[in-house]
Amino acid sequence: MPSIEELVTELTTNGSETLDAGQLHELKRQCKGDRSGQTVVLAFHALMQALAKRHAQVRISAVLVVSELFIRSHHFRLLVIGSLPKLFELVFGAYHKKLPPPAQYTQRLRQVAAEQYFMWTEQFGDGYQQLIYGFRFLRYVERVDFKAAAAEYRRKDPERARLRRQRRLENRHAYMRRSLVSVQADYARERQNAEEALSTLERCFVVLVPDIFASLNFDVGNAGENDGAYADEDDEDDVDDVLAIMAANRQAIDISIDPDRVLEAEECAENQPVFDVIRDYLLLCVKVFRPRVRMWSEKLGRIDRDLDPTVTQLVEAVDRLKARISVAEDKCRDLGIDFAYMDKTVEGDEDDDEEFEDVPVAEPARPTGNIKKRNAVFAMLGEPVLKNDPTYINPEQLRDRHTTTTSSSDEQRPANPVEDRLRESAPVVSYDSDLMYWGRDSVSVDTTGLEIRHRFLGSARDEPILTGAALDSLKKRAVFYQEPERKEIKACRAPLRDGRLCPRRDLVKCPFHGAIIPRDEQGRLEAGYMAEETPPPVRESEPEPEPQTNTVETAERVEDLRWQDVEKLVNKPTERPKKRERTLASTRKPKLSGIKRLKQTIGRKR
């Protein structure tokens, strides 16, 4: 069975764009049969070596083999995607690299590579985003023309191309539906708040600038027909008089309104709260609602109107809300409201430092004279202050107390020979904190180190007691493991041919010179070791006598058997391996004859 390297070499050096079906099938079979993936890795490296050869035809065949494995193996796709820059350099001439000769196959190499890469992008672009990035790089940076590759792909597989376009259209419609649902939910959630803010601004505008046309709410035609009937009985008296005169005389009245005087609404102490409300809601409309309305408009602009009938209604509602915000903003500008307050950061209420006066801090008076030094509250272990501290217990004192108590108890206890023998064989352990707490069921402990008492309320806390796992941890001792000393590994020191000594170090045996034995500086065996370790000579056993064949018939039968075994090998005809015909174009430039060289020289001089 041929190896992976041999198969790749045979496939890439035949000089034809049509790959050998048998060899390609064998390569696929070996890659598929290896579950570990090592065969795929070997095939990938072998193909990359073939792509690196300085021959365009070899690279064309290698690209075709790579495409065959790329379609069928996920592991191979990952390896190729990880080496895309190198692949672009070898087959497209990216990064200002030149493609190898022959020149007539260089352009064909770029064309075949473009067709295969376009197919990869169409089939696997959704699952491997790096392929999309590489396609954009080749198209917009390296200026690779994929039009012919796309046409060839549609010609070879029209059904797959149609399904690809249909899938893209479905994905686009799904994206538009998701955007529409998102905009509808966001609009339904924020519409009420935005309309409330705009309604509040409009009421504030009416308070500052009354609408004079709203006060004249009557119908002139109905007033003429009713001959003096009042339009509204609840209106004010002056308005009623005007209506009565207009109904009786039917005269036209011209009302001129000066917009400069109407909009004279200067900010003062009386209307200060109204202006504050306008600023608050204007900030909400400009900084919160207007960016959202702009985002809704952009999303709806990317959605087809034919997708859903509610798209048109939603677009009109968003446009109306956007127009109302713009009108409210224009009215605020007409009222003279400065928009600079929106850019200022809102800071929380801070205390005014001016309300407090700086008072110099008086330094405490330092006592004079000899003062007796007090014991430190948190003295370190080993300080002489702790010797006179009644609250401190020295471990040595506890050990002495423990030894005295054990000795006194031993004196009082009757003699037991079995226990005495066990004590003699028991290991001796140095005294430590684990022996101090050994045999106790509970230990009182003060977690703070301070005892707080009150003259009326008594002690601030009860005495804590350690039990359970905490007490077990006190009875344990940490033992640090000491690494044993390493044995000295002696060098072999056997003399070498170049005059040096063997530097290899082993415990028992050198793989080149046998057992390691003591040698001197020149590599010779020490005399004492030779005398002690020289084994006694072993007596060689005599070889067994071969069976003698005295008869002539036995000798002839043995010769016949030997000739039967050798006859096939002697008479076998020697077959010379046939040389495989290769159709690779030569990369060397043809040698020119003397006449051609002379013509070229004359042509250049002219």
Side-chain angles (χ1 to χ4, degrees), residues 8-221:
V8 171
T9 304
E10 294 292 333
L11 286 169
T12 56
T13 55
N14 56 5
S16 176
E17 294 186 13
T18 303
L19 301 176
D20 185 79
Q23 296 174 354
L24 185 61
H25 177 73
E26 180 64 22
L27 179 62
K28 294 177 185 177
R29 189 189 64 79
Q30 292 189 19
C31 293
K32 185 178 180 180
D34 187 8
R35 297 294 182 182
S36 63
Q38 296 296 328
T39 307
V40 176
V41 176
L42 291 176
F44 171 74
H45 290 298
L47 288 171
M48 291 301 293
Q49 292 178 1
L51 286 172
K53 292 183 179 179
R54 300 292 301 172
H55 202 290
Q57 285 183 288
V58 175
R59 294 191 182 186
I60 291 174
S61 302
V63 168
L64 295 176
V65 178
V66 168
S67 182
E68 291 290 337
L69 297 180
F70 188 91
I71 296 172
R72 290 166 174 80
S73 174
H74 167 70
H75 187 34
F76 191 83
R77 286 194 288 271
L78 294 179
L79 295 173
V80 172
I81 289 173
S83 304
L84 280 182
K86 186 65 176 178
L87 185 67
F88 292 163
E89 178 183 334
L90 295 175
V91 300
F92 289 104
Y95 311 109
H96 307 286
K97 299 293 183 178
K98 293 183 179 180
L99 295 178
Q104 62 269 25
Y105 291 99
T106 300
Q107 188 63 27
R108 181 57 184 165
L109 173 60
R110 291 174 62 91
Q111 183 179 355
V112 172
E115 292 176 2
Q116 300 302 323
Y117 193 81
F118 184 82
M119 181 185 64
W120 299 351
T121 307
E122 287 291 321
Q123 296 184 10
F124 306 100
D126 296 337
Y128 304 90
Q129 196 67 23
Q130 293 88 340
L131 293 175
I132 303 296
Y133 297 152
F135 179 81
R136 294 173 183 172
F137 169 76
L138 294 174
R139 183 176 180 182
Y140 299 108
V141 178
E142 297 296 334
R143 303 296 179 182
V144 178
D145 188 11
F146 285 98
K147 293 181 180 179
E152 184 68 18
Y153 176 73
R154 297 189 187 97
R155 186 187 64 81
K156 289 183 178 179
D157 199 348
E159 183 64 22
R160 187 184 293 272
R162 185 187 64 81
L163 293 176
R164 177 70 177 176
R165 288 195 300 270
Q166 183 179 356
R167 186 165 61 252
R168 284 182 177 177
L169 185 61
E170 292 175 355
N171 293 340
R172 185 170 180 271
H173 286 172
Y175 169 75
M176 288 190 293
R177 289 191 185 93
R178 289 195 299 269
S179 299
L180 179 60
V181 171
S182 175
V183 172
Q184 287 176 346
D186 199 5
Y187 176 77
R189 184 172 56 254
E190 300 295 338
R191 178 182 61 84
Q192 185 177 359
N193 297 333
E195 289 183 352
E196 289 180 359
L198 291 172
S199 301
T200 304
L201 287 175
E202 291 174 358
R203 289 195 295 268
C204 293
F205 295 151
V206 172
V207 171
L208 294 176
V209 184
D211 191 357
I212 61 174
F213 296 102
S215 61
L216 301 175
N217 187 11
F218 60 89
D219 192 349
V220 178

Side-chain angles (χ1 to χ4, degrees), residues 216-232:
L216 301 175
N217 187 11
F218 60 89
D219 192 349
V220 178
N222 294 335
E225 294 176 359
N226 295 333
D227 292 333
Y230 295 152
D232 189 1

Side-chain angles (χ1 to χ4, degrees), residues 515-534:
I516 297 178
I517 54 180
R519 298 175 182 270
D520 56 7
E521 297 298 332
Q522 285 76 26
R524 294 173 296 186
L525 301 179
E526 295 181 359
Y529 179 81
M530 291 179 63
E532 295 176 0
E533 300 294 335
T534 302

Side-chain angles (χ1 to χ4, degrees), residues 157-395:
D157 199 348
E159 183 64 22
R160 187 184 293 272
R162 185 187 64 81
L163 293 176
R164 177 70 177 176
R165 288 195 300 270
Q166 183 179 356
R167 186 165 61 252
R168 284 182 177 177
L169 185 61
E170 292 175 355
N171 293 340
R172 185 170 180 271
H173 286 172
Y175 169 75
M176 288 190 293
R177 289 191 185 93
R178 289 195 299 269
S179 299
L180 179 60
V181 171
S182 175
V183 172
Q184 287 176 346
D186 199 5
Y187 176 77
R189 184 172 56 254
E190 300 295 338
R191 178 182 61 84
Q192 185 177 359
N193 297 333
E195 289 183 352
E196 289 180 359
L198 291 172
S199 301
T200 304
L201 287 175
E202 291 174 358
R203 289 195 295 268
C204 293
F205 295 151
V206 172
V207 171
L208 294 176
V209 184
D211 191 357
I212 61 174
F213 296 102
S215 61
L216 301 175
N217 187 11
F218 60 89
D219 192 349
V220 178
N222 294 335
E225 294 176 359
N226 295 333
D227 292 333
Y230 295 152
D232 189 1
E233 297 178 356
D234 296 332
D235 290 342
E236 298 180 357
D237 297 338
D238 52 354
V239 177
D240 295 338
D241 297 339
V242 172
L243 293 176
I245 294 171
M246 291 177 62
N249 300 329
R250 293 184 180 181
Q251 296 177 357
I253 301 175
D254 297 332
I255 302 175
S256 60
I257 301 174
D258 188 2
D260 296 334
R261 294 191 62 185
V262 171
L263 296 178
E264 287 181 358
E266 296 181 357
E267 187 175 358
C268 59
E270 296 179 356
N271 57 11
Q272 178 69 31
V274 180
F275 275 91
D276 292 341
V277 173
I278 290 176
R279 288 190 180 92
D280 294 340
Y281 281 95
L282 180 63
L283 178 63
L284 186 63
C285 291
V286 174
K287 294 295 184 181
V288 177
F289 297 124
R290 188 168 66 180
R292 292 185 180 179
V293 170
R294 187 183 297 113
M295 180 187 63
W296 296 340
S297 300
E298 292 176 356
K299 286 186 176 181
L300 292 174
R302 293 192 292 265
I303 299 175
D304 295 340
R305 299 296 179 90
D306 301 335
L307 183 66
D308 198 319
T310 59
V311 177
T312 305
Q313 302 175 3
L314 189 59
V315 169
E316 294 175 355
V318 171
D319 291 341
R320 286 195 300 269
L321 189 60
K322 184 178 181 181
R324 291 182 62 184
I325 294 175
S326 300
V327 170
E329 188 176 356
D330 295 339
K331 288 183 179 181
C332 292
R333 286 194 178 91
D334 295 338
L335 290 175
I337 296 177
D338 188 9
F339 283 67
Y341 77 96
M342 297 184 182
D343 300 331
K344 297 180 181 179
T345 57
V346 180
E347 298 180 358
D349 296 335
E350 297 180 356
D351 297 333
D352 192 1
D353 297 337
E354 297 180 357
E355 297 179 0
F356 302 95
E357 297 180 0
D358 296 335
V359 179
V361 180
E363 296 183 359
R366 296 182 178 179
T368 57
N370 296 329
I371 301 175
K372 186 177 180 181
K373 187 175 181 181
R374 300 179 61 185
N375 293 339
V377 179
F378 299 103
M380 301 301 291
L381 183 64
E383 293 185 0
V385 182
L386 295 177
K387 294 182 179 180
N388 300 325
D389 190 355
T391 62
Y392 173 70
I393 299 177
N394 194 352

